[in-house]
Amino acid sequence: MQTPQTRYARSGEVRIAYQVTGQGPIDLVFVPGFISNLELHWEEPGYSHLLRRLSAFARVIHFDKRGTGLSDRVDVQHLPDLETRMQDVRAVMDAAGSGRAVLLGASEGAPMSILFAATCPERTRALVLYGGYAHFHSAVLRPEQLAAFLRTAEQSWGTGASLASFAPGLVHDPRFSAWWARFERLSVSPTAAVALARMNATIDVRGVLGAIRVPTLVIHRREDARVRFAAGRFLAEHIPGARLLALAGRDHPVWTGDIDRVVDAIEEFLTGECATAAQDRTLATVLAAHLVRPERGAARLGERLWGERVQRLHRRAEELIAHHGGRCGSHGEDAIAAHVDGAARAVRAAIALRREAGALGIDLAIGVHAGDIVLREGSAHGLAVHVAARIAGLTAAGEILVSDVVRDLVAGSGLHFHDRRVEAIDGMEAPVRLLAVMEEQHLEPIARTQAEPDLAALSAREREVLALIADGLSNAAIAAKLALSDHTVKRHVANILLKLDLPSRTAAAALAARRSA
């Protein structure tokens, strides 16, 4: 999907910037939170993924609120009230030719959406409220906390310092931190940020919750760092018929954490079905690499030569990943993403990639994690992808960090690790232990007999499935014999291949035959 054209709607004397993506049968107006910038959104992989997912089943209308992003600036001494800003939603819908739409209100966008639904029910099809609230001071910041936030914003706006207040789990990710600093600068000025925060502090729409008469889904992360979970529960309890979906995670922005879980819930709520639920999820090991661009590297070589080396690395990455039985997905200029069927092969691919990058004078920070993924348009999606990217963001240049899940899956493979630290990663129920990959130092020949996979790693059911694979039964035949669904059998087969680090069903059958001989 190409970056869409930015258009302008007139709301009174103010121009409101908006974009339209997707051609689905449902109109969905995405009302953003505190700050936004329509064109900068597409530079952040999480944000662009969110918009692409929503656009797969809806016609998405997203905009910058007045005074923010690409919309007209306003007098910070006379900021508009919530009702005036609500009229901007109507103006954008009119300009986009939308008579009736679902409103997706995120964070500060939730109370604006609530007021619109209560005031304009004839134009509201449904409400989705993510990380939202009805009353600022009880849900977001108490007066003394607001004063501290404003003091910090006055001194450091534009540096990315506010990231800790919104997404503490991403503070140590240098790529995301740099993007957030630009996000601050290109969304509002320091003076406007302070004025906007003061205006948001006056929000109180508790009195209109009972007037809402449209289907409503409330989504809130249990450990949300910005808006208390109790605020989401309050919305669900006081909006007639509303349903609350509680998710794991503490990072507040909707485009962070397990984005696919959020969109899956929205799609199912609006359409009655979820596209990803109909697709086969598969277990895989995800590799995420960030190119660490040293300032002196590009300056010494010149941008052209540096760019040529980066392009060469991308080409070699595809070859190396394919050689190790994996596939590269969508990536940016300074990032490489791939998924591999076997955990040990994924780690060895990461080692080979690090060597290749080093030979080109490029440092990579590589993260590896294993879990369920959904393949869409050749790229992997899901929580495992997010976790691998987060691990890469926590990794030093030239280092490979893996999760303890990967370490456990490659036991007996000959790979070695050093314990680094434990990190809380948004979307994961428990902290993740990170380990650094150590290249083997040995004197024996490179070509040596690989250890036979240990069947003890399999569950009783998986050993039963493996025996039937050895007998030549198809997945459908195994499902019928064991009274399981086809999907369950596929999951068992994927687990077997991953745990035993085998490339195919054929290899699994050969192993089972050797053991039974």
Side-chain angles (χ1 to χ4, degrees):
M1 180 186 295
Q2 293 182 340
T3 302
Q5 179 182 354
T6 299
R7 296 182 170 88
Y8 288 90
R10 181 181 288 278
S11 181
E13 298 301 317
V14 175
R15 298 282 187 172
I16 306 297
Y18 73 96
Q19 294 177 349
V20 179
T21 58
Q23 298 179 345
I26 300 171
D27 280 359
L28 185 150
V29 178
F30 181 21
V31 185
F34 181 39
I35 58 175
S36 66
N37 184 298
L38 288 175
E39 296 187 0
L40 191 60
H41 293 167
W42 295 98
E43 296 182 16
E44 168 28 47
Y47 214 133
S48 61
H49 178 60
L50 169 71
L51 294 174
R52 288 186 174 93
R53 279 292 321 270
L54 292 172
S55 300
F57 62 87
R59 188 172 78 110
V60 181
I61 305 165
H62 38 120
F63 66 99
D64 288 334
K65 300 191 298 290
R66 63 169 64 200
T68 67
L70 306 179
S71 292
D72 279 352
R73 293 297 183 256
V74 295
D75 183 355
V76 296
Q77 300 302 321
H78 301 88
L79 284 172
D81 57 22
L82 198 61
E83 291 188 4
T84 302
R85 292 157 69 91
M86 180 201 72
Q87 295 304 321
D88 295 343
V89 176
R90 182 196 295 270
V92 167
M93 287 178 63
D94 289 344
S98 176
R100 192 163 175 254
V102 175
L103 265 64
L104 167 56
S107 191
E108 278 84 2
M112 188 188 305
S113 301
I114 289 168
L115 189 59
F116 185 91
T119 307
C120 308
E122 74 285 356
R123 302 203 64 174
T124 309
R125 180 170 180 167
L127 268 183
V128 178
L129 307 174
Y130 167 85
Y133 60 89
H135 178 236
F136 181 90
H137 282 307
S138 62
V140 187
L141 296 174
R142 297 183 179 89
E144 64 276 12
Q145 294 172 316
L146 174 64
F149 177 81
L150 294 177
R151 285 194 299 270
T152 301
E154 287 175 340
Q155 297 169 3
S156 60
W157 188 261
T159 67
S162 72
L163 179 58
S165 299
F166 292 88
L170 292 167
V171 168
H172 300 296
D173 184 332
R175 182 199 59 80
F176 192 91
S177 296
W179 178 85
W180 186 272
R182 292 185 65 227
F183 186 50
E184 287 182 349
R185 294 191 299 272
L186 298 181
S187 294
V188 289
S189 68
T191 301
V194 170
L196 187 59
R198 286 199 175 104
M199 191 212 74
N200 287 337
T202 66
I203 290 176
D204 185 355
V205 294
R206 290 175 293 183
V208 304
L209 297 181
I212 294 176
R213 293 293 182 269
V214 298
T216 303
L217 173 65
V218 179
I219 304 174
H220 215 105
R221 288 176 174 154
R222 292 187 180 277
E223 306 298 326
D224 193 309
R226 183 66 177 176
V227 180
R228 296 176 181 85
F229 178 72
R233 187 167 55 224
F234 183 89
L235 292 177
E237 291 173 349
H238 290 81
I239 295 175
R243 179 164 67 89
L244 173 64
L245 173 63
L247 299 179
R250 59 173 178 159
D251 288 343
H252 174 64
V254 64
W255 67 89
T256 62
D258 192 356
I259 302 165
D260 285 305
R261 181 69 183 89
V262 173
V263 181
D264 286 349
I266 295 172
E267 183 175 7
E268 186 173 8
F269 173 65
L270 297 180
T271 69
E273 59 184 17
C274 179
T276 57
Q279 299 174 13
D280 286 335
R281 291 182 178 267
T282 186
L283 195 61
T285 305
V286 181
L287 181 157
H290 292 167
L291 185 152
V292 181
R293 182 188 291 263
E295 293 298 330
R296 65 180 185 278
R300 184 179 68 249
L301 294 172
E303 285 296 335
R304 184 183 62 80
L305 183 55
W306 180 260
E308 289 175 356
R309 290 193 178 188
V310 171
Q311 290 178 8
R312 181 178 173 186
L313 177 61
H314 280 295
R315 290 193 297 269
R316 285 293 293 140
E318 293 186 1
E319 296 171 359
L320 289 170
I321 297 299
H323 176 74
H324 287 84
R327 180 174 179 177
C328 283
S330 59
H331 53 73
E333 179 183 353
D334 290 348
I336 297 170
H339 56 277
V340 184
D341 288 337
R345 287 195 298 277
V347 175
R348 292 193 172 100
I351 293 172
L353 185 58
R354 176 171 63 180
R355 289 174 182 163
E356 186 70 26
L360 293 170
I362 298 173
D363 284 330
L364 290 179
I366 304 177
V368 185
H369 179 65
D372 278 348
I373 65 169
V374 173
L375 293 177
R376 190 181 301 110
E377 297 178 357
S379 295
H381 301 281
L383 180 59
V385 178
H386 160 70
V387 173
R390 284 289 300 114
I391 294 174
L394 297 167
T395 304
E399 189 175 44
I400 302 170
L401 290 185
V402 306
S403 65
D404 48 1
V405 176
V406 173
R407 185 270 315 275
D408 294 343
L409 289 172
V410 303
S413 66
L415 293 164
H416 301 285
F417 307 91
H418 277 298
D419 202 357
R420 279 290 187 261
R421 60 187 182 277
V422 174
E423 288 282 349
I425 295 181
D426 200 50
M428 298 292 283
E429 294 288 353
V432 178
R433 181 168 296 281
L434 303 181
L435 305 102
V437 177
M438 307 302 295
E439 292 203 50
E440 298 175 67
Q441 302 294 325
H442 51 74
L443 298 176
E444 64 268 26
I446 296 296
R448 62 186 188 276
T449 303
Q450 186 174 359
E452 187 81 351
D454 185 5
L455 296 187
L458 304 181
S459 67
R461 175 65 84 183
E462 288 165 351
R463 287 195 292 272
E464 190 175 9
V465 171
L466 178 60
L468 295 176
I469 291 174
D471 289 340
L473 273 65
S474 66
N475 282 0
I478 295 173
K481 187 174 182 65
L482 300 180
L484 301 172
S485 69
D486 287 350
H487 179 71
T488 299
V489 172
K490 288 178 183 178
R491 289 289 303 277
H492 282 315
V493 173
N495 285 339
I496 290 167
L497 298 181
L498 185 60
K499 289 181 178 181
L500 300 182
D501 195 23
L502 295 172
S504 64
R505 283 172 56 94
T506 303
L511 172 65
R514 288 198 303 273
R515 292 300 178 86
S516 62

